[in-house]
Amino acid sequence: MTDTGGPGVTRRAVTAAENVRASRGWWDADADSYQAEHGEFLGEVEFRWCPEGLREADAHLLGDVRGRRVVEVGCGAAAAARWLATRGAEVVALDLSAGMLRHAADAADHSGVRVPLVQADAMRLPLADESFDIACTAFGAVPFVDDSAAVMREVFRVVKPGGRWVFAVTHPMRWIFLDDPGEGGLVAIHSYFDRRPYVEFDESGTATYVEHHRTVGDRVRELVAAGFVLTDIVEPEWPEENRQVWGQWSPLRGRIFPGTSIFCAVKPA
Ligand SMILES: C[S@@+](CC[C@H](N)C(=O)[O-])C[C@H]1O[C@@H](n2cnc3c(N)ncnc32)[C@H](O)[C@@H]1O
């Protein structure tokens, strides 16, 4: 979300087809600059949950992954999937964008750590029922689909009983502020209850980028309705030593309020 407030930005409903077209186009076009800007911070074989920098190696939100089948949904360049593979997991990395998956393939060549890459929409996972022990994503897919409840149901379907689903998204309360890492981003101006997606559009009015807000309660209800049991909502604190600005995430804002929420859920055994 860039929230420039200028022409080409609005909050409006989008159709599912318009949404998926915009997301695929955006992430294909943005893949090179996303990796150029964030690749070093994300690492080539590393699992960071969020711009705060929280590492799975420290957080252990997925539990012991050795010998577990793990799917990373909305993997981008799949650094997390490669890290999981080095920890003994059997990993599949999935993303909507061919552009992002090209970076994943390049990073596999470079690092020598290979995981199967699948191009697919998280709304329709081409994966067998109850075939994974763990599903996870750091900011992949969930904020970019018009029906995140459907993603919860899809993940529930492919995860085994007793399996985990852990996903990181922008903290819902961030949506009340301008998307500004500076002082401007400390002033609340939007309603927390406005669920209309943030949309950037081109000259013809066609959506080119779509991102969706859900309240904390919405997220919990979607998980519970799918059948999951919520076990935690992690709100990583901004570490003193992290000086980087990532879009609207910054040390200034991070010191005051959370930028990320990580929902941790299990499928009942
Ligand atoms: C902010 S990036 C996060 C990528 C990666 N997880 C990371 O930590 O860098 C969002 C990713 O979600 C993917 N994505 C968006 N919509 C998706 C969908 N419907 N199904 C699967 N992936 C999707 C994008 O292509 C992009 O790679």
Side-chain angles (χ1 to χ4, degrees):
M1 191 161 81
T2 49
D3 207 358
T4 58
V9 175
T10 188
R11 299 281 289 266
R12 68 161 168 86
V14 291
T15 66
E18 185 183 18
N19 195 150
V20 79
R21 235 186 347 262
S23 285
R24 191 178 283 124
W26 176 273
W27 292 106
D28 280 352
D30 194 57
D32 291 352
S33 58
Y34 182 88
Q35 281 310 120
E37 202 177 337
H38 307 302
E40 192 181 331
F41 177 77
L42 290 169
E44 199 164 64
V45 182
E46 177 60 281
F47 194 151
R48 284 191 191 264
W49 280 105
C50 49
E52 288 82 355
L54 184 69
R55 290 182 159 95
E56 173 57 13
D58 300 317
H60 307 296
L61 301 180
L62 303 181
D64 185 5
V65 299
R66 184 162 299 281
R68 301 290 163 88
R69 279 181 55 74
V70 184
V71 55
E72 186 187 6
V73 181
C75 62
R82 285 187 296 279
W83 182 84
L84 289 163
T86 64
R87 293 296 181 276
E90 198 185 319
V91 192
V92 171
L94 178 148
D95 201 282
L96 181 67
S97 160
M100 290 302 241
L101 290 174
R102 187 169 38 77
H103 280 277
D106 289 350
D109 288 345
H110 194 251
S111 65
V113 183
R114 296 178 190 287
V115 300
L117 304 174
V118 177
Q119 186 179 9
D121 185 345
M123 303 261 287
R124 280 175 296 281
L125 296 172
L127 306 170
D129 294 358
E130 302 189 351
S131 52
F132 287 87
D133 300 290
I134 298 167
C136 60
T137 184
F139 287 80
V142 176
F144 305 109
V145 297
D146 66 308
D147 185 1
S148 49
V151 173
M152 302 300 135
R153 290 194 294 274
E154 268 297 82
V155 173
F156 187 84
R157 179 182 67 73
V158 304
V159 168
K160 297 176 189 171
R164 297 191 194 202
W165 168 219
V166 182
F167 64 93
V169 290
T170 301
H171 198 290
M173 76 169 290
R174 285 266 162 141
W175 281 75
I176 70 177
F177 299 102
L178 273 184
D179 214 6
D180 175 345
E183 299 278 339
L186 302 179
V187 183
I189 60 160
H190 297 299
S191 166
Y192 178 73
F193 304 104
D194 183 357
R195 273 83 158 189
R196 291 174 305 160
Y198 168 89
V199 177
E200 294 180 16
F201 57 89
D202 63 18
E203 311 71 42
S204 68
T206 305
T208 53
Y209 178 88
V210 182
E211 191 173 335
H212 297 264
H213 166 54
R214 294 287 179 275
T215 68
V216 175
D218 293 339
R219 294 267 180 237
V220 172
R221 275 187 294 279
E222 289 183 359
L223 279 167
V224 171
F228 285 108
V229 173
L230 181 70
T231 55
D232 201 356
I233 303 174
V234 178
E235 298 166 300
E237 293 190 32
W238 194 276
E240 196 57 46
E241 67 277 9
N242 184 352
R243 307 307 307 159
Q244 75 139 1
V245 172
W246 174 323
Q248 50 102 341
W249 284 266
S250 63
L252 172 75
R253 302 179 87 201
R255 268 198 302 275
I256 301 171
F257 54 97
T260 297
S261 46
I262 308 176
F263 291 82
C264 307
V266 294
K267 178 170 177 170

